[in-house]
Amino acid sequence: MSGVSPCAPIGVFDSGFGGLTVAREIAKALPQESIVYVGDSARCPYGPRDLAEVDGFVQQIGAWLVERGVKLIVIACNTATAAGLAHAQRTFPVPVIGVVEPGARAAAHATQNRRVGVVATKATVESDAYTRAIRHLDAGITVFSTATPRFVEIAEQGIRMAEGPIENYTSLASKVYIRPAFEEIAREYLEPLRRCDIDTLVLGCTHFPLLKALIGGVVGRGVTLISSAREAALDVAEILARRDALAPSDNGPCYEFFTTGEDVSEFASFGSRVFRAPIDTVARVELA
């Protein structure tokens, strides 16, 4: 890759904390790589916003990451991927990947009865991004999509309510406190999909892997849950390898975290639980 060092960081961004599930998978798959993460908490959530507006956010954050010298950008948000991936790929001088296509590919490979469910934000569902991506790979698959806007709120509330010492980072992300009321909401959202006889369910929002136990408990063991976070990390590894742009194995990785929100300490403590590792420093960035 001309002009960009293999030791340059990978840029990852999301509307808030959810994309840290993607950053975590990248850190796990590529432990030698540095990461610059931006959580656009000031404008979160993206889900209810107009796609053209979200596309503008993608351009803004992407330009900021390019200025910081990243070698690849991951749009770790399904809504932002649906709204702005193609535009970003045309605009920026580094590879840009989203989370929809990797998740769609995994779902198309996993399904046996060719009936796939998708749970996502309203904007992602309305964009039809997953249906198009899955049916592009196998036109015989029937896709059932449903908007589950309250899942983001449940994931964040559940982490805040989780008990246990903050030092115990190895199990933090699984410690999402599930109230009985959360299970009722999940049942209401997921029961119609269950009745559609799906055998695969795409968690079409990067917050949703945090609710894997809740969602899996409702849809049952016969349904394979697809998290696009892990699939996106595999894509990052493949693209960098193909471009001979992987950091050397002796590279000491550096993780930097930024938020557009006011409360950096809240981002650090909450983010540590999602990233499953201590986030010591978070800097505030103004993009508007």
Side-chain angles (χ1 to χ4, degrees):
M1 276 168 64
S2 58
V4 181
S5 161
C7 293
I10 295 164
V12 182
F13 75 90
D14 178 40
S15 59
F17 300 102
L20 286 165
T21 59
V22 180
R24 183 181 82 212
E25 291 292 344
I26 293 170
K28 208 159 72 176
L30 300 166
Q32 76 279 23
E33 296 291 347
S34 295
I35 297 170
V36 177
Y37 183 88
V38 179
D40 190 10
S41 304
R43 299 183 291 203
C44 183
Y46 284 179
R49 291 179 183 269
D50 182 75
L51 288 177
E53 185 183 23
V54 177
D55 180 32
F57 299 165
V58 172
Q59 287 293 308
Q60 205 177 39
I61 298 168
W64 188 86
L65 286 167
V66 167
E67 272 180 38
R68 287 196 72 85
V70 300
K71 62 183 176 183
L72 179 144
I73 293 172
V74 182
I75 304 177
C77 167
N78 287 267
T79 303
T81 297
L85 176 64
H87 188 189
Q89 288 172 333
R90 289 193 300 269
T91 306
F92 301 125
V94 297
V96 183
I97 72 162
V99 282
V100 170
E101 206 271 339
R105 192 173 57 235
H109 292 167
T111 184
Q112 292 185 21
N113 70 1
R114 295 163 104 196
R115 298 173 77 80
V116 173
V118 176
V119 284
T121 64
K122 182 171 172 283
T124 301
V125 168
E126 286 178 356
S127 75
D128 232 16
Y130 271 104
T131 302
R132 282 201 310 271
I134 291 168
R135 288 174 58 79
H136 176 70
L137 295 160
D138 182 348
I141 293 175
T142 306
V143 182
F144 305 89
S145 301
T146 190
T148 54
R150 295 198 65 192
F151 275 176
V152 172
E153 168 200 333
I154 287 172
E156 298 205 351
Q157 268 189 42
I159 283 189
R160 286 197 180 91
M161 293 160 68
E163 291 174 8
I166 193 75
E167 293 76 26
N168 185 12
Y169 286 106
T170 53
S171 59
L172 282 175
S174 60
K175 288 195 173 180
V176 177
Y177 181 78
I178 302 300
R179 285 165 50 191
F182 294 173
E183 290 186 23
E184 279 173 44
I185 293 164
R187 219 166 280 287
E188 208 174 294
Y189 280 149
L190 298 169
E191 200 53 49
L193 285 177
R194 235 165 60 88
R195 286 201 297 268
C196 291
D197 193 29
I198 59 167
D199 72 348
T200 304
L201 179 64
V202 179
L203 308 180
C205 170
T206 48
H207 272 81
F208 295 177
L210 300 169
L211 298 176
K212 215 167 179 181
L214 171 66
I215 293 168
V218 173
V219 294
R221 284 188 181 169
V223 177
T224 302
L225 301 185
I226 301 291
S227 160
S228 50
R230 186 170 174 274
E231 304 301 324
L234 296 174
D235 272 21
V236 168
E238 193 184 318
I239 290 165
L240 292 178
R242 235 180 11 235
R243 291 170 168 260
D244 206 18
L246 286 165
S249 55
D250 60 353
N251 185 51
C254 169
Y255 301 147
E256 294 179 280
F257 300 91
F258 296 87
T259 177
T260 58
E262 301 269 333
D263 196 340
V264 292
S265 59
E266 158 82 347
F267 192 95
S269 66
F270 189 89
S272 296
R273 291 184 177 274
V274 183
F275 192 56
R276 283 202 212 186
I279 293 176
D280 300 320
T281 312
V282 177
R284 184 154 184 266
V285 59
E286 288 199 36
L287 294 167

